[in-house]
């Protein structure tokens, strides 16, 4: 009896279902399930058919220590990009660069291809833009003389045929994986099956020919790389290119890296002539800091291995509606709700009837729990209308009983603050005993209730300083 070989795949999460339904059980997305033809050669399993027996001798077990030479890496000389990749591009690896449409992925990868062109052969395959469009961009970036091979193609069979040659390229940019298709599959380009099959073929080629493949992947509204979350585990490195629209800053963040650290970030600025590297982001993020006003604090954060100072701003205003508004940019809304609840319950701050706005200046997105104390300080400062000391940075995690907890990489945070001319740091208690090796004066807090008093004290000593001219 012929079996029905069609199956139904959710385009949002890649889950496979035996029959169609309006809503995906796995991720809850509506109208995302479409019918796809079954994969041509589904593995049959080993059980049936009296197939040959596996021989144990074919699987060799070896020790963990070996004498492999260090991985050869191609350095692009775009330091921000190299650092995020873990020190350059590894030959034979596949990278996925995800991001919202229009954020600058094509621009970044064209710049990477051009930067590498004088030491390696780079090609750029566009499935989205015409040759003229890419050329126009290259001219705008001042890169039109770089020796990058440019092509427009979407059929993977043709692409593989032209790449799988003896004197093929060392670096291939595929812009984007959602436009590529394998002609032996029935489904449309951009579906999970196509994206998965296309990526698989390209990755196989990368390993066989030692080519570095850079795949561009668009991200859906929910923040997933469309369809292919399946892609994330296939590639060696996943980079996200993010930023607030309307801000010129762009952050390249590594979320997975088989050849380097994750959570490393690179900072770029989108200008008229392409993406510029920002080598001292702290100075930039703090450059527009307002003077002595309440509700703004400087958080000493760490992104990956890199310390970074950012300004956190809060505004607290009486609400004119029944349900007060909470709006947050650059931080987690759930975490803000938690801090508000802790401030209200443990410190008696009546924030329940207040609208609360929180903003991380510069368009950076912070995920560290170490920012809790900075957020709380900004809120207390805004609510009590006491300015936070101008020359101080703050960091620390907050627990549900209002206790302030220690965080990692304290020395890196303090060093960065000292480098940028700050005089004081407000940090969790346990840190005081350790040797800091920095010139900052340390003020410690054990519990959130100390925060108000601390702000009062700082304000008083600041006004006294003003009264006594030196
Ligand atoms: P693009 O690289 O096409 O984004 P993606 O590939 O992620 O969709 O970037 C498009 C945006 O970048 C577009 O809105 C214009 C802007 N841009 C500049 O501001 N300056 C430039 O030099 C370039 C090339 C683009
Ligand atoms: Mg693009």
């Amino acid at each position: 009896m012929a079996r029905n070989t069609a199956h139904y795949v959710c385009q949002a999460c890649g889950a496979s279902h035996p029959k169609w339904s309006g809503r995906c059980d796995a991720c809850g997305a509506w109208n995302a399930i479409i019918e796809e033809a079954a994969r041509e050669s589904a593995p049959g399993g080993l059980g049936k058919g009296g197939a040959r027996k596996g021989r144990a001798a074919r699987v060799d077990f070896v020790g963990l220590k070996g004498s492999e030479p260090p991985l050869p890496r191609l350095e692009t000389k775009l330091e921000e990009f190299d650092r995020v990749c873990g020190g350059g591009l590894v030959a034979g690896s596949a990278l996925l660069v995800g991001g919202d449409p229009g954020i600058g992925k094509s621009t970044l990868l064209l710049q990477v291809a051009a930067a590498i062109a004088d030491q390696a052969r780079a090609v750029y395959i566009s499935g989205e833009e015409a040759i003229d469009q890419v050329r126009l961009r290259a001219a705008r970036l001042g890169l039109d003389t770089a020796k990058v091979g440019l092509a427009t193609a979407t059929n993977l069979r043709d692409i593989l045929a032209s790449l799988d040659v003896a004197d093929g390229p060392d670096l291939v940019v595929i812009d984007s994986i959602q436009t590529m298709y394998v002609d032996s599959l029935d489904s449309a380009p951009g579906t999970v099956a196509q994206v998965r099959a296309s990526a698989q073929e390209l990755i196989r080629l990368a390993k066989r020919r030692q080519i570095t493949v850079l795949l561009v992947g668009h991200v859906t509204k929910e923040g997933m790389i469309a369809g292919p979350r399946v892609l994330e585990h296939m590639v060696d490195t996943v980079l996200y290119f993010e930023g607030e629209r309307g801000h010129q800053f762009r952050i390249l963040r590594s979320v997975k890296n088989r050849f380097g650290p994750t959570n490393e970030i690179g900072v770029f600025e989108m200008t008229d002539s392409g993406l510029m590297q920002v080598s001292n982001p702290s100075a930039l993020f703090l450059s527009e800091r307002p003077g002595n006003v309440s509700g703004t604090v400087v958080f000493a954060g760490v992104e990956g291995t890199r310390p970074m100072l950012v300004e956190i701003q809060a505004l607290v205003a009486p609400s004119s509606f029944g349900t007060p508004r909470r709006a947050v940019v650059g931080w987690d809304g759930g975490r803000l709700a938690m801090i508000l609840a802790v401030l209200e319950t443990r410190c008696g701050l009546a924030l329940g009837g207040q609208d609360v706005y929180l903003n991380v200046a510069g368009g950076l997105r912070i995920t560290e729990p170490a920012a809790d104390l900075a957020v709380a300080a900004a809120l207390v400062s805004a609510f009590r209308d006491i300015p936070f000391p101008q020359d101080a940075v703050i960091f620390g995690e907050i627990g549900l009983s209002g206790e302030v907890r220690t965080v990692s990489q304290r020395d890196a945070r303090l060093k960065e603050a000292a480098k940028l001319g700050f005089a004081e740091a407000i940090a969790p208690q346990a840190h005081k005993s350790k040797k800091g090796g920095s010139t900052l004066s340390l003020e410690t807090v054990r519990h959130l209730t100390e925060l108000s008093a601390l702000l009062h004290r700082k304000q008083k000593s600041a006004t006294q300083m003003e009264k006594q001219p030196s």
Side-chain angles (χ1 to χ4, degrees), residues 193-360:
Q194 284 290 6
V195 166
R196 187 163 41 196
S198 307
Q200 205 141 40
E201 291 295 335
L202 285 163
I203 292 167
R204 213 174 292 155
L205 173 80
K207 305 286 170 207
R208 194 170 63 236
R209 289 268 177 202
Q210 290 293 298
I211 301 175
T212 305
V213 176
L214 286 160
L215 306 172
V216 172
H218 291 294
V219 166
T220 58
K221 283 198 298 289
E222 294 78 29
M224 275 184 262
I225 293 188
R229 259 220 292 201
V230 274
L231 274 191
E232 291 196 357
H233 72 255
M234 289 163 59
V235 296
D236 300 302
T237 302
V238 180
L239 309 176
Y240 278 97
F241 204 36
E242 47 186 50
E244 289 292 327
R245 218 162 268 217
H247 273 293
Q248 70 274 39
F249 304 120
R250 300 282 184 271
I251 313 283
L252 185 67
R253 189 187 295 273
S254 74
V255 294
K256 162 183 171 176
N257 195 349
R258 287 189 183 144
F259 306 112
T262 53
N263 265 328
E264 198 65 75
I265 72 168
V267 184
F268 296 88
E269 186 178 356
M270 182 61 101
T271 67
D272 285 346
S273 47
L275 290 157
M276 296 291 162
Q277 306 188 66
V278 177
S279 44
N280 188 355
S282 299
L284 195 77
F285 288 136
L286 296 181
S287 61
E288 289 173 62
R289 196 150 61 107
N292 210 20
V293 294
S294 62
T296 95
V297 306
V298 176
F299 164 54
V302 173
E303 294 287 343
T305 56
R306 185 183 213 187
M308 193 166 294
L309 304 188
V310 277
E311 183 192 339
I312 293 183
Q313 307 174 325
L315 181 68
V316 176
S319 179
S320 42
F321 301 103
T323 317
R325 264 187 76 100
R326 272 91 175 83
V328 40
V329 178
W331 208 50
D332 179 29
R335 199 103 193 154
L336 174 67
M338 185 197 98
I339 305 273
L340 288 173
V342 174
L343 281 173
E344 181 131 18
T345 324
R346 309 285 177 195
C347 311
L349 247 59
L351 289 159
Q354 309 277 333
D355 287 342
V356 174
Y357 303 90
L358 190 83
N359 179 31
V360 177

Side-chain angles (χ1 to χ4, degrees), residues 158-174:
D158 300 340
I159 294 175
L160 290 182
S162 55
L163 296 180
D164 199 359
V165 290
D167 57 347
D170 305 302
L171 175 91
V172 177
V173 176
I174 302 286

Side-chain angles (χ1 to χ4, degrees), residues 99-108 128-129 137 140-141 175 216 218 241 250 270-275:
D100 292 331
I103 203 77
K105 301 180 293 297
S106 306
T107 310
L108 175 72
E128 294 189 344
E129 289 164 298
R137 171 178 295 146
R140 223 171 116 191
L141 301 173
D175 187 5
V216 172
H218 291 294
F241 204 36
R250 300 282 184 271
M270 182 61 101
T271 67
D272 285 346
S273 47
L275 290 157

